[in-house]
């Protein structure tokens, strides 16, 4: 894996566009790499304002007073008139947020470095192969080096400052935070920053231990000074008294846990900490390798991106391969077991009032963060997502009961770490009860990838069943044709409220299909499954081809051909759903819709379009969307921008690249389904397919040369691949479709 390093020839000035991210799931930091002043901005993912204890009061988004008949009145109006203005619906069903809160920066570490001659030979980098950020430069004939990493096993952020001349390491370490409700103290080479947020009383604490080799370390009231050292190491950990348990969301004072964590890490020493970190990281990262025939020019990454044209050059392919690897790195760095899931900014945030609160939007954004988890062979990174979704069920049951008078559970458009499952009053983004069904989809898909019946039974099925219960109780009989529809429904952030908007129907179709399959696999809930199948039979599927050949966004034919809205939500059934087949009338209508919407949009929108076009088997257009994303929606540090920075585009693009190379959502492993002409020759190793399969592919001149499938379970394999060369005895063929009975633990090669 050559060329998997982001590097720059100058320090970062801007946090959003230039600084480099490290993280271990719970902790994140941004490295600036200054030569006179080093800034290390850091986060701990549970540090949030709002929630229980907030001075604003907190209501979980539930209606603060009963609204008898409110939903029925809206449904009746929609039955009569067909549509309602979002502002009017929000006035009837929404309410202002109270105590929702926002994700918080924890603070900054600063290294004041001695004044000296100008730096030469400067390099700032992030190695994706090692998950280590570094800074090197020469000043006064001395080569200075700094290394940084965030260890998941140790739950610490570690930095090492060294030089190639003994006694040349000198700096003062101090900390700052925008939270006035904190105090900083120093003792025995350890800086402690501790406080409680003024808004909700959440306790927070960070500790930084400085260990020196040679020289001296001096403690001052609020800083630590190192003089004449050969090298020095700092070890940081942080925590809060947040607990993911409804309804209080509070646990123990973080002091003892943070102290023990830093003590343990400091006792190990730098080399051992780094080795343990890298062993843990590469176990995940090295599973997948993508070769697009790239050649990485010796230019900084910002210049590589600026020169990118999306053409057929080896340098352009180098950026594309780097971007794919970077997205996998970011998911490992922002989502590991024991932490909250990746939010709108992963784990990184330098503000007390970030855009969209740095929250969990569940009308696509949280889900998109985890699209690559399975297909890109990072299943472990999805554990925080699973835990979070399961934790939403308790508050979601209350919202379902009070708002819908229904069983099951619900969450609307956006949520936080404190079980916000109700509504707010932003007219075009407050109502989306389908979100629970959508977030549940990923759990069932995880089962489809792994085949783990225990996971299906214990984790996925209860979530799916609860989401389905809500819709069994609330689907509305449409007087237009007698079908079951979601009412009121709203196609995210676009148009009027109606009954039976296409996305709403497709999501419920997906949920009912999944939960019925799951109940059958587990051989449980026969009566419930029968109810689901009956409702599925009567459900409007949300698939209509309109007057100009488009897939309709609404049940009525309201689509306009010059509409270029960034949401193309009514193609949910194409991706991430499996309702629409590419080579079908609905698939052709999806192409018409996408062509009309155009290739513009925000970063996450372009990432979704990569996946759409890949599912439509159009590799050229999928690649065109990747080009759009890299050219117009990617910052110099390769973060996705909405704008501003929003990490879902990074993750959505990784999933899209994987979908171009391997698809399996219809029960067939389709090899190179959407290979673009720009990737004439290459290989990929380690992608995952549903059915507990790992896939390696090499291709030349756009044709598969060798396909190897590694099996985790017994059972039939069906493969669609245009591959030349030998295939073992026992495989049957029909055109480009192959099938055979596979055994667990075996590898099967086609071609070669």
């Amino acid at each position: 894996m050559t060329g998997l390093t982001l590097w720059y020839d100058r320090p970062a000035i801007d946090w959003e566009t230039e600084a480099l991210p490290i993280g271990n799931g719970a902790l994140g930091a941004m490295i600036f790499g200054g030569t006179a002043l080093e800034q290390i901005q850091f986060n701990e993912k549970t540090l949030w304002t709002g929630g229980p204890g907030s001075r604003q009061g907190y209501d979980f988004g539930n209606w603060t007073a009963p609204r008898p008949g409110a939903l029925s009145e809206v449904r009746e109006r929609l039955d009569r008139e067909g549509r309602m203005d979002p502002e009017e619906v929000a006035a009837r069903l929404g309410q202002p947020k109270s105590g929702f809160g926002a994700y918080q920066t924890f603070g900054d570490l600063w290294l004041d470095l001695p004044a000296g001659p100008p730096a030469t030979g400067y390099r700032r980098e992030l190695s994706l192969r090692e998950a280590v950020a570094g800074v090197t430069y020469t000043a006064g004939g001395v080569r200075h080096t700094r290394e940084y990493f965030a260890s998941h096993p140790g739950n610490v952020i570690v930095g090492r400052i060294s030089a190639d001349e003994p006694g040349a390491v000198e700096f003062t370490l101090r900390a700052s935070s925008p939270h006035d409700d904190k105090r900083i103290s120093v003792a025995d080479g350890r800086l402690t920053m501790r406080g409680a947020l003024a808004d909700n009383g959440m306790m927070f604490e960070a500790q930084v231990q400085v260990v020196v080799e040679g020289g001296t370390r001096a403690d001052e009231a609020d800083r630590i000074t190192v003089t004449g050292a050969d090298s020095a190491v700092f070890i940081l950990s942080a925590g809060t008294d947040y607990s993911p348990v409804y309804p209080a969301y509070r646990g123990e004072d973080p002091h003892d846990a943070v102290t023990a964590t830093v003590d343990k890490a400091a006792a190990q020493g730098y080399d051992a900490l780094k080795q343990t970190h890298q062993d843990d990281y590469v176990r995940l990262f090295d599973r997948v390798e993508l070769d697009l025939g790239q050649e990485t020019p010796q230019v900084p990454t910002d210049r590589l991106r600026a020169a990118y044209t999306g053409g057929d050059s080896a340098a352009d392919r180098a950026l594309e391969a780097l971007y794919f690897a970077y997205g996998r790195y970011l998911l490992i760095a922002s989502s590991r077991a024991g932490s909250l899931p990746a939010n709108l900014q992963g784990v990184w945030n330098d503000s007390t009032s970030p855009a969209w609160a740095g929250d969990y939007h569940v009308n696509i954004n949280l889900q998109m963060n985890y699209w690559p988890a399975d297909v890109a062979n990072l299943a472990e990174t999805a554990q925080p997502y699973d835990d979070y979704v399961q934790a939403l069920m308790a508050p979601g049951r209350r919202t379902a009961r009070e708002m819908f008078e229904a069983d099951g559970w619900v969450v609307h458009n956006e949520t936080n770490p404190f079980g916000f499952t109700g509504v707010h009053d932003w007219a075009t983004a407050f109502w989306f009860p389908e979100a629970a069904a959508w977030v549940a989809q990923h759990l069932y898909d995880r089962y489809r990838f792994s085949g783990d019946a225990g996971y299906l039974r214990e984790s996925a099925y209860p979530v799916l069943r609860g989401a389905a219960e809500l819709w069994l109780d609330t689907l509305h009989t449409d007087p237009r044709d007698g079908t079951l529809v979601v009412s009121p429904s709203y196609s995210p952030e676009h148009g009027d409220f109606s009954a039976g908007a296409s996305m709403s129907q497709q999501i419920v179709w997906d949920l009912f299909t999944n939960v019925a399959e799951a109940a059958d696999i587990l051989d449980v809930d026969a009566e419930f499954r029968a109810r689901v199948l009956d409702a599925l039979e009567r459900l409007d599927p949300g698939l209509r081809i309109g007057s100009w050949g488009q897939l309709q966004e609404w049940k009525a034919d309201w689509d306009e051909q010059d509409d270029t809205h960034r949401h193309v939500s009514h193609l949910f059934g194409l991706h991430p759903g499996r309702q629409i087949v590419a080579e079908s009338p609905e698939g052709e209508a999806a192409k018409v819709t996408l062509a009309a919407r155009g290739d513009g949009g925000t970063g996450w929108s372009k990432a979704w379009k990569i996946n759409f076009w890949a599912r439509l088997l159009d590799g050229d257009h999928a690649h065109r969307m990747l080009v759009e994303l890299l050219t117009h929606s990617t910052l110099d540090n390769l973060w996705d921008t909405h704008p501003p920075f929003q990490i879902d585009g990074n993750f959505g693009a990784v999933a899209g690249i994987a979908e171009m190379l391997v698809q399996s959502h219809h029960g067939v492993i389709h090899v190179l389904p959407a290979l673009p002409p720009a990737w004439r020759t290459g290989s990929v190793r380690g992608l995952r397919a549903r059915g507990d399969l790992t896939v390696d592919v090499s291709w030349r001149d756009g044709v598969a040369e060798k396909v190897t499938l590694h099996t985790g379970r017994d059972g039939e394999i069906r493969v669609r691949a245009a591959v030349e060369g030998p295939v073992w005895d026992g495989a049957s063929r029909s055109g480009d479709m192959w099938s055979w009975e596979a055994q667990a633990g075996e590898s099967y090669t086609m071609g070669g």
Side-chain angles (χ1 to χ4, degrees), residues 357-389:
D359 70 8
Y360 297 101
H361 269 52
V362 284
N363 67 344
I364 185 172
N365 311 93
L366 174 61
Q367 295 93 320
M368 183 182 281
N369 284 357
Y370 288 90
W371 286 352
D374 285 300
V375 70
N377 213 336
L378 296 173
E380 295 90 336
T381 65
Q383 186 62 53
Y385 177 98
D386 291 1
D387 294 342
Y388 182 73
V389 170

Side-chain angles (χ1 to χ4, degrees), residues 255-276:
H255 174 76
D256 289 346
V258 173
T259 300
T261 297
V262 175
D263 286 348
K264 181 178 179 180
Q268 293 180 54
Y270 181 80
D271 290 340
L273 284 170
K274 183 178 178 182
Q275 188 63 57
T276 301

Side-chain angles (χ1 to χ4, degrees), residues 149-402:
F149 62 86
S151 166
H152 174 65
N155 195 30
V156 289
I157 292 170
V158 181
R160 184 175 187 267
I161 304 95
S162 62
D164 66 357
E165 183 176 296
V169 171
E170 297 188 354
F171 63 89
T172 295
L173 180 146
R174 55 188 172 86
S176 65
S177 171
H179 306 295
D180 293 333
D181 33 24
K182 53 98 176 35
R183 60 184 183 276
I184 295 174
S185 60
V186 174
D188 299 324
R190 185 170 303 190
L191 182 149
T192 299
M193 180 166 64
R194 177 176 171 82
L197 294 178
D199 170 70
N200 59 8
M202 178 179 284
M203 300 177 68
F204 61 90
E205 183 165 329
Q207 296 183 24
V208 188
Q209 180 69 49
V210 176
V211 180
V212 298
E213 184 174 327
T216 61
R217 182 190 69 201
D219 295 346
E220 302 175 51
D222 62 353
R223 61 197 62 201
I224 300 167
T225 296
V226 173
T227 306
D230 300 333
S231 66
V233 173
F234 71 78
I235 298 163
L236 178 151
S237 193
T240 74
D241 65 349
Y242 171 83
S243 172
V245 180
Y246 173 79
Y249 295 97
R250 283 296 187 277
E252 297 180 356
D253 185 311
H255 174 76
D256 289 346
V258 173
T259 300
T261 297
V262 175
D263 286 348
K264 181 178 179 180
Q268 293 180 54
Y270 181 80
D271 290 340
L273 284 170
K274 183 178 178 182
Q275 188 63 57
T276 301
H277 155 67
Q278 291 184 327
D279 289 347
D280 170 73
Y281 172 77
V282 300
R283 179 177 59 85
L284 300 175
F285 184 78
D286 283 0
R287 292 172 180 169
V288 173
E289 182 175 4
L290 177 63
D291 180 358
L292 300 177
Q294 65 266 23
E295 293 180 13
T296 306
Q298 296 303 305
V299 297
T301 303
D302 52 343
R303 282 186 240 160
L304 180 66
R305 193 198 67 81
Y308 176 76
T309 66
D312 192 22
S313 72
D316 281 353
R317 294 195 298 274
L319 181 65
E320 292 164 354
L322 178 66
Y323 189 75
F324 176 81
Y326 186 51
R328 294 184 71 248
Y329 164 84
L330 290 172
L331 187 54
I332 297 169
S334 63
S335 186
R336 300 296 301 274
S339 68
L340 287 168
N343 59 39
L344 283 175
Q345 295 184 177
V347 65
W348 301 280
N349 167 42
D350 71 335
S351 174
T352 57
S353 55
W356 306 285
D359 70 8
Y360 297 101
H361 269 52
V362 284
N363 67 344
I364 185 172
N365 311 93
L366 174 61
Q367 295 93 320
M368 183 182 281
N369 284 357
Y370 288 90
W371 286 352
D374 285 300
V375 70
N377 213 336
L378 296 173
E380 295 90 336
T381 65
Q383 186 62 53
Y385 177 98
D386 291 1
D387 294 342
Y388 182 73
V389 170
Q390 291 173 76
L392 285 174
M393 292 176 67
R397 288 190 189 98
R398 179 183 170 190
T399 302
R401 186 169 58 251
E402 295 184 3

Side-chain angles (χ1 to χ4, degrees), residues 517-552:
E517 283 185 7
D520 185 48
I521 291 164
L522 296 172
D523 193 22
V524 296
D525 280 347
E527 182 179 347
F528 179 77
R529 181 173 182 270
R531 288 179 61 205
V532 169
L533 290 173
D534 176 67
L536 186 60
E537 180 74 20
R538 295 184 291 133
L539 183 75
D540 185 313
L543 300 179
R544 281 180 174 77
I545 298 174
S547 56
W548 43 277
Q550 87 283 11
L551 196 72
Q552 289 180 197

Side-chain angles (χ1 to χ4, degrees), residues 701-718:
D701 296 326
V703 178
E705 279 191 319
K706 182 178 180 181
V707 179
T708 301
L709 297 100
H710 310 278
T711 59
R713 296 181 180 274
D714 295 342
E716 184 187 30
I717 292 178
R718 293 190 295 157

Side-chain angles (χ1 to χ4, degrees), residues 573-574 578-588 615-616 666:
L574 176 65
R578 52 183 169 133
Q579 188 177 5
I580 298 173
V581 177
E583 297 153 322
S584 70
E586 293 80 12
E588 292 303 311
R615 287 275 175 98
L616 289 169
H666 287 307

